[in-house]
Amino acid sequence: MKIQILDPDVANQIAAGEVVERPASVVKELLENAIDAGASSILVEIQSDLAGITMIRVTDDGIGMSAEEAVLAFQPHATSKIRDITDLSQIRTLGFRGEALASIAAVAEVTLVTRPRDSGALAGTRVVVRGGEVIERGDVGAPEGTTVIVKSLFYNTPARRKFLKSRNTELAHIYGVAENLALAHGEVSIRVMHNGKERISTQRSGGLLNAIAGIYGAELARTLIPIDAKTPLLRISGYISQPAESRGNPSGISISINARSITARQIAAAIREGYGTLLPRDRYPVAFVDISLDTTLVDVNVHPTKREVRLSRESEIVSAIRDAVEETLAGCDLAHEVPIAPVQQRITADEPIPAQPVAEPEVAYAGHHRALSLSDRQLRRTEMPGEENLLPTMRPVGQVAATYIVAEGTDGALYLIDQHAAHERILYDQVAERRDAEPTTQELIMPAILSLPPRESAALRDLIPILGEEGFVVEEFGRDTFAVRSVPAGPGALEDPEGIRETIAEILAGTSRTGPDRREAVTCIIACRGAVKAGVRLTHDQQERLLAQLARTKTPWTCPHGRPTVVAFDKQRLDRMFRRT
Ligand code: ADP
Ligand code: MG
């Protein structure tokens, strides 16, 4: 074959392949055009049958187009939004490629009806384009604004049609696109209907929180934490979730940059990092944030569907976002909102709760002297001076199941504290605090000897440097045999060889990760070993000390694994439970 320039229709179809991946891409482009046209309200109507999406109609009350513009808009690279490549660095509109209408019309039948706003034009224009050819144009009565109707999508590209997923999957993508745009554009009201039924509806200037409530439900919206932070580089605003509202993947994180909704893994990761140990390792928060940045720092022209952007000074941006999230969380009271599983159910359980004296553990459990003194030793290790108090003032009333401390707040609230989780948090914070300093080690009088199966001994060999940073001195002597000569001193101190063996076994089992994560996992295990156990009776004095120590941690509300340490029932809630209000 000889080299030839492609027929423009073929070229457009190929270009369309990048822009129009699926019905949701059409919705995205049409919604963006409506927003760029200054619409204040946009209606998206979808029709489908069992085979899939049959029609998409987007109606806006934006500036509209003249008769000439209406035809020109379908030409490839026809845009009113930029003139010059330098305009791209100051782009404020969502569109700029001039490709969307041309691309959609190359692979579908598109009807455009439009009348320019405030132009005095008596009639509007109707243009029908199919497979890139204008097949009809003329005057028509029309309201101000623009309606675009797309039918027979991919009628001439069977390969693309074949890759469409089920109707519900395609609908889900459409709703996703509309939701993201609605969240990033509170200035527009967006309504999505499917086969005549309303699916999404957000109110204009109802605020972001209202839009979130409209899309994700009032329950989530109620618990969100507002974030609004400004640095010389950027401003981050929006809402982030309570740690208790976490998800198993990052899909609950919606990000826009300068009101352009995008996917940005680095930024999602920065938001996650801001939660630190407030969340378990494999959990992600929910977040709705907009980052305002100088437009010259954002390259929007890196992806045909503008789904991604490239950032200059990315690492500074990422750390500013992480810090903003961390500071926002540090400044709020996280316990009151910990959702508590259906309390009523527990109360009305069939089994009668046996009457049990809650207080006086000293007397009742005097026989458990060993356990008492162990808890005492464990608590004494974490006794530290300090005044900061991040918990509400509370007084322990007793213990339930030798696991939960029951406390009364001066505000009349009832608190339940998981004693083990709470002590883990205390230990973790103290160990982490000392982490940047030289580890203090404690030499053992008798080294503890470990003989390991080959696979584990290989793993331990790898871990020796990391263990060293934590204060373990481990030496290999002979085949698969190791001597532990020193252990970390301080809070999580280990004394007996059995404890040391168990800790190292746990570290070996629990550190498949690499890098800083691994270091963190090791710290966590060491910290948690020394924690007061569940199922151990504590004296009133010990309970008080534990609460006081917890109050001095940086993040008293969760343990290092992200589980709650404290759950709260405020007075109103108690009143409600007893129908006093
Ligand atoms: P882009 O949005 O990148 O400019 P499009 O192909 O999406 O390219 O649209 C081409 C042009 O058509 C736009 O620049 C705009 O001037 C005009 N246009 C498209 N949709 C609308 C609309 N809903 N209201 C007013 N003008 C529109
Ligand atoms: Mg566009």
Side-chain angles (χ1 to χ4, degrees):
M1 282 223 292
K2 276 218 186 98
I3 299 181
Q4 278 184 344
I5 301 229
L6 285 175
D7 181 81
D9 285 354
V10 180
N12 283 346
Q13 270 194 27
I14 291 173
E18 287 193 324
V19 180
V20 193
E21 289 169 326
R22 57 187 347 149
S25 334
V26 172
V27 174
K28 173 172 187 280
E29 294 296 339
L30 298 183
L31 270 173
E32 289 189 350
N33 280 348
I35 293 170
D36 283 346
S40 59
S41 108
I42 308 172
L43 173 62
V44 179
E45 292 160 284
I46 309 293
Q47 262 164 30
S48 73
D49 60 21
L50 288 178
I53 311 289
T54 52
M55 187 218 62
I56 295 166
R57 174 163 51 210
V58 177
T59 305
D60 70 57
D61 58 358
I63 54 170
M65 284 174 269
S66 67
E68 302 79 68
E69 286 177 309
V71 175
L72 201 56
F74 285 100
Q75 292 292 314
H77 316 298
T79 181
S80 56
K81 299 169 193 174
I82 58 169
R83 290 279 172 268
D84 195 299
I85 194 70
T86 53
D87 293 345
L88 262 190
S89 62
Q90 296 155 33
I91 196 89
R92 287 276 166 198
T93 53
L94 295 170
F96 54 83
R97 300 172 61 98
E99 276 189 331
L101 285 180
S103 297
I104 297 167
V107 293
E109 180 184 304
V110 181
T111 304
L112 172 79
V113 176
T114 186
R115 183 156 73 99
R117 196 193 272 168
D118 306 325
S119 68
L122 294 175
T125 309
R126 179 167 182 270
V127 181
V128 184
V129 186
R130 185 179 163 91
E133 305 288 335
V134 177
I135 56 175
E136 260 182 73
R137 61 186 283 195
D139 290 351
V140 69
E144 289 180 353
T146 304
T147 300
V148 181
I149 304 163
V150 178
K151 288 184 185 159
S152 310
L153 183 61
F154 301 135
Y155 78 96
N156 54 355
T157 51
R160 186 54 61 97
R161 203 167 56 229
K162 231 175 42 210
F163 278 103
L164 288 177
K165 296 281 180 334
S166 75
R167 169 172 69 163
N168 284 338
T169 306
E170 296 301 335
L171 280 169
H173 281 282
I174 290 175
Y175 298 152
V177 157
E179 286 166 3
N180 283 334
L181 276 161
L183 291 171
H185 293 274
E187 77 279 12
V188 202
S189 81
I190 296 182
R191 209 164 147 224
V192 181
M193 320 263 294
H194 170 232
N195 289 349
K197 285 211 190 86
E198 183 177 277
R199 296 295 168 188
I200 295 172
S201 163
T202 62
Q203 286 315 303
R204 186 170 184 228
S205 58
L208 176 58
L209 202 56
N210 266 314
I212 296 169
I215 294 168
Y216 295 93
E219 189 54 30
L220 173 70
R222 199 181 56 79
T223 62
L224 291 173
I225 301 165
I227 180 167
D228 193 353
K230 231 178 126 136
T231 75
L233 190 61
L234 56 83
R235 173 166 174 192
I236 173 170
S237 61
Y239 292 89
I240 58 177
S241 63
Q242 295 274 344
E245 264 305 330
S246 67
R247 303 283 140 98
N249 60 56
S251 66
I253 304 178
S254 309
I255 298 162
S256 55
I257 293 188
N258 295 338
R260 177 188 303 280
S261 142
I262 48 145
T263 48
R265 250 191 266 162
Q266 340 78 296
I267 294 181
I271 294 172
R272 166 65 188 85
E273 267 182 55
Y275 280 72
T277 55
L278 285 174
L279 284 177
R281 236 152 232 301
D282 48 351
R283 306 292 294 178
Y284 298 83
V286 176
F288 307 91
V289 295
D290 181 62
I291 319 283
S292 316
L293 276 172
D294 187 335
T295 51
T296 57
L297 295 176
V298 188
D299 183 356
V300 290
N301 188 29
V302 293
H303 196 278
T305 67
K306 300 162 284 172
R307 185 191 297 148
E308 284 163 19
V309 297
R310 194 179 295 134
L311 299 173
S312 317
R313 301 172 68 183
E314 182 178 302
S315 61
E316 284 165 78
I317 292 173
V318 159
S319 53
I321 292 171
R322 184 199 49 222
D323 293 350
V325 169
E326 193 177 319
E327 276 157 35
T328 302
L329 290 166
C332 60
D333 178 353
L334 298 175
H336 285 283
E337 299 295 347
V338 173
I340 299 158
V343 176
Q344 275 92 342
Q345 271 175 26
R346 274 193 237 142
I347 292 174
T348 56
D350 295 337
E351 234 175 284
I353 299 167
Q356 225 180 31
V358 200
E360 309 310 335
E362 273 115 321
V363 182
Y365 292 90
H368 295 156
H369 179 70
R370 214 182 88 81
L372 269 185
S373 59
L374 173 63
S375 312
D376 223 66
R377 258 189 295 150
Q378 288 170 325
L379 282 171
R380 203 169 304 137
R381 283 197 196 113
T382 46
E383 218 80 70
M384 291 259 227
E387 327 54 274
E388 220 182 352
N389 193 335
L390 290 177
L391 283 181
T393 313
M394 52 174 95
R395 175 180 71 82
V397 177
Q399 228 181 345
V400 176
T403 298
Y404 305 107
I405 297 172
V406 182
E408 181 195 14
T410 45
D411 48 0
L414 165 69
Y415 296 95
L416 296 174
I417 299 97
D418 180 322
Q419 66 195 40
H420 177 67
H423 202 212
E424 276 187 337
R425 165 54 70 195
I426 296 162
L427 279 158
Y428 177 86
D429 273 28
Q430 294 186 2
V431 172
E433 182 117 311
R434 289 177 306 126
R435 186 153 59 174
D436 299 327
E438 273 293 292
T440 41
T441 67
Q442 177 179 318
E443 204 171 323
L444 296 169
I445 303 164
M446 283 279 289
I449 304 298
L450 308 171
S451 301
L452 298 173
R455 204 170 53 87
E456 280 180 28
S457 69
L460 181 56
R461 220 168 280 132
D462 272 0
L463 274 171
I464 287 179
I466 295 178
L467 289 169
E469 290 175 52
E470 295 286 344
F472 280 100
V473 177
V474 181
E475 280 165 17
E476 188 171 4
F477 76 95
R479 237 177 110 200
D480 300 334
T481 308
F482 299 82
V484 182
R485 301 205 179 277
S486 300
V487 293
L494 294 155
E495 285 153 2
D496 54 321
E498 204 37 50
I500 294 169
R501 274 183 214 119
E502 274 172 27
T503 308
I504 292 196
E506 205 180 325
I507 291 172
L508 284 175
T511 55
S512 49
R513 292 162 207 277
T514 49
D517 272 6
R518 188 180 211 180
R519 177 84 204 271
E520 173 94 12
V522 171
T523 310
C524 220
I525 290 169
I526 294 171
C528 300
R529 273 220 62 98
V532 166
K533 295 261 176 311
V536 174
R537 285 283 160 186
L538 299 178
T539 63
H540 185 80
D541 170 58
Q542 290 172 337
Q543 296 168 20
E544 266 182 346
R545 280 154 61 200
L546 186 65
L547 294 185
Q549 292 178 13
L550 181 64
R552 287 196 292 268
T553 60
K554 287 208 199 70
T555 46
W557 305 106
T558 57
C559 81
H561 309 102
R563 288 189 298 269
T565 49
V566 182
V567 296
F569 298 79
D570 60 26
K571 178 71 166 32
Q572 288 93 310
R573 185 160 186 169
L574 294 175
D575 289 345
R576 245 182 292 131
M577 278 158 53
F578 290 99
R579 312 255 187 283
R580 275 174 168 275
T581 49

